[in-house]
Amino acid sequence: MSNPYKECKTYETSNFIIRLITMDDAEGLLKCYSDVNSRPYFNSDMCTGNFNFNTIEEMKNSIIGWLGCYEREEFVRFSIVNKEENLAVGTIEMFGAVGVYKVNTGVLRLDILSRYENEMYLSEIFSLCLDGFFEDFEVERIITKAIPLAKERIGSLVGLGSEKYESPDRENYYALSKKTTVLNG
């Protein structure tokens, strides 16, 4: 199978356009990633890195890095663009079963401005991922960590059919799976 990271299409929901990240998203993403109210949510999905961008140039350098990973078929990062403002308000970092990384597959990281951290918007985004990414990118599951800050994400995933996910190396995660069986917790 050819690697779908090379031909990422644009996805659309009622409120968002989700597309491969571009330099045009730098200004919106700088606001997103530098918003102190949003930052606590950014590390709730497995990643513990401290993503702190202070200038447009820093944000652009990161986008260049993300696009480099895309070219190397490692993973892909999408922008979540608010239709009303036409501004990037978050990102989805996606590791699929194809490409270099073939472990911990799924939509493992969702970063979004805190004002969108509610079940309505999250369900809209997760539903799109379930309907589009699972087939297009051979995704196996969407995972979110069950920490207090992730309660809206858990509620959204549970509403879509998610169950507690248990494995030898993970605790307290919820997963939405389409191609594999999720173990009950």
Side-chain angles (χ1 to χ4, degrees), residues 55-69:
T55 67
I56 291 287
E57 288 308 310
E58 285 181 12
M59 193 73 242
K60 285 182 177 178
N61 286 337
S62 291
I63 292 173
I64 290 169
W66 296 337
L67 293 176
C69 292

Side-chain angles (χ1 to χ4, degrees), residues 95 104-108 134 138-143 165 170 174-183:
F95 295 82
N104 298 332
T105 54
V107 179
L108 299 179
F134 274 65
E138 298 182 23
V139 168
E140 292 177 4
R141 61 178 58 91
I142 298 169
I143 300 174
Y165 172 59
R170 293 185 208 288
Y174 278 74
L176 181 59
S177 178
K178 196 168 185 178
K179 291 189 173 183
T180 61
T181 301
V182 179
L183 301 176

Side-chain angles (χ1 to χ4, degrees), residues 9 23-24 39 41 45 50 55 71 75 78 80 90 95 115 152 160 166 182:
K9 64 184 181 184
M23 288 300 180
D24 293 338
R39 291 191 56 74
Y41 298 103
D45 293 357
N50 183 19
T55 67
E71 286 300 318
F75 65 86
F78 290 89
I80 304 169
F95 295 82
R115 71 175 181 264
E152 300 288 351
L160 293 168
E166 293 189 7
V182 179

Side-chain angles (χ1 to χ4, degrees), residues 33-168:
Y33 279 73
S34 60
D35 181 353
V36 294
N37 294 320
S38 301
R39 291 191 56 74
Y41 298 103
F42 283 14
N43 294 321
S44 62
D45 293 357
M46 296 190 53
C47 186
T48 57
N50 183 19
F51 291 92
N52 188 18
F53 304 106
N54 300 302
T55 67
I56 291 287
E57 288 308 310
E58 285 181 12
M59 193 73 242
K60 285 182 177 178
N61 286 337
S62 291
I63 292 173
I64 290 169
W66 296 337
L67 293 176
C69 292
Y70 159 78
E71 286 300 318
R72 292 189 300 274
E73 303 179 356
E74 294 173 353
F75 65 86
V76 65
R77 194 181 291 255
F78 290 89
S79 288
I80 304 169
V81 179
N82 175 303
K83 284 183 177 178
E84 189 175 324
E85 300 171 352
N86 194 29
L87 197 66
V89 296
T91 60
I92 296 171
E93 183 178 11
M94 217 277 303
F95 295 82
V98 296
V100 175
Y101 292 122
K102 296 183 181 174
V103 296
N104 298 332
T105 54
V107 179
L108 299 179
R109 187 171 177 79
L110 168 67
D111 290 338
I112 196 164
L113 279 170
S114 59
R115 71 175 181 264
Y116 299 103
E117 189 74 25
N118 62 60
E119 284 194 36
M120 182 185 80
Y121 289 128
L122 292 169
S123 291
E124 187 176 322
I125 293 167
F126 286 140
S127 292
L128 172 90
C129 295
L130 183 65
D131 294 339
F133 291 178
F134 274 65
E135 188 171 323
D136 293 348
F137 296 96
E138 298 182 23
V139 168
E140 292 177 4
R141 61 178 58 91
I142 298 169
I143 300 174
T144 196
K145 192 173 182 181
I147 61 174
L149 285 172
K151 65 183 180 179
E152 300 288 351
R153 297 179 190 202
I154 292 167
S156 302
L157 289 170
V158 168
L160 293 168
S162 175
E163 299 178 52
K164 193 163 185 185
Y165 172 59
E166 293 189 7
S167 74

